[in-house]
Amino acid sequence: MNIIEILKRNVFELQQQLNKAYKRIKELTELDKVYRQWGYYVTYDTNGDDNAYLKSKLKKLVVYPGKKLSMQRHSGRDELWFCAEGIVDVDTIVPLENENWDRRRSLTPGMTCDINAGDWHQLINNTSKRAVIYEIQYGDMCDEGDIERTVQQ
């Protein structure tokens, strides 16, 4: 057996191992889905215990067509949203000294959006296809207990 045949066999075996690992990760991810009216999310990684200076969390949000998350804010963390699939609108209300500043912007695949602690924000999927957003949370508090929601009509 020559070196080329050995390398081809090793590459094939590595591909098989990677395929098995990918399938296992996908199976585990399915178990961790948290379903909501708007779709679901999966938490991939959480960093920082109670003594950590800066906590962080990575989540995948899947927003179904025609659905939206609640208008919400949180005081203990900032967020970075990365649009991986689909098109979404992001509504934000930024509190200023004497008034609020309202803004709507669209995110398409590859675009990001920063959400600052204390800013009201809402993710909206007005399309007929699902949207996938990766959310990176970072700050003093990265858990669902920090969410304040508005009552919507």
Side-chain angles (χ1 to χ4, degrees):
M1 189 178 293
N2 67 30
I3 190 71
I4 301 295
E5 291 172 343
I6 292 171
L7 288 174
K8 284 182 181 178
R9 189 180 71 201
N10 287 343
V11 167
F12 177 76
E13 289 173 3
L14 181 58
Q15 286 174 331
Q16 296 298 99
Q17 291 174 353
L18 287 173
N19 285 337
K20 286 180 185 177
Y22 173 76
K23 287 179 184 176
R24 182 64 181 141
I25 289 169
K26 194 170 181 180
E27 289 170 3
L28 292 172
T29 300
E30 292 294 317
L31 297 174
D32 293 333
K33 286 183 181 176
V34 178
Y35 288 92
R36 297 288 188 251
Q37 180 180 355
W38 48 264
Y40 65 88
Y41 70 87
V42 178
T43 301
Y44 287 119
D45 190 28
T46 301
N47 182 31
D49 57 21
D50 289 338
N51 298 320
Y53 172 71
L54 182 70
K55 296 174 178 56
S56 62
K57 184 182 285 188
L58 172 63
K59 292 170 83 172
K60 175 183 178 182
L61 310 175
V62 176
V63 185
Y64 294 148
K67 299 293 184 176
K68 61 185 176 182
L69 282 69
S70 62
M71 178 65 78
Q72 57 186 265
R73 68 178 173 184
H74 17 76
S75 59
R77 69 172 181 263
D78 295 319
E79 295 179 347
L80 172 73
W81 289 349
F82 172 80
C83 182
E85 180 183 325
I87 300 171
V88 293
D89 291 325
V90 179
D91 286 352
T92 52
I93 303 172
V94 179
L96 302 174
E97 192 170 319
N98 295 322
E99 61 182 306
N100 289 332
W101 180 61
D102 299 353
R103 179 178 180 189
R104 174 172 279 193
R105 60 192 144 181
S106 293
L107 295 182
T108 59
M111 295 179 71
T112 62
C113 176
D114 291 308
I115 305 294
N116 296 315
D119 291 353
W120 289 99
H121 57 280
Q122 181 176 36
L123 190 61
I124 305 163
N125 182 354
N126 285 318
T127 73
S128 60
K129 297 183 179 181
R130 79 177 196 160
V132 177
I133 303 294
Y134 286 93
E135 175 183 276
I136 302 170
Q137 303 175 1
Y138 55 98
D140 297 334
M141 187 174 189
C142 293
D143 64 54
E144 299 297 303
D146 186 34
I147 298 175
E148 178 185 353
R149 292 182 172 86
T150 63
V151 177
Q152 294 184 317
Q153 302 166 335

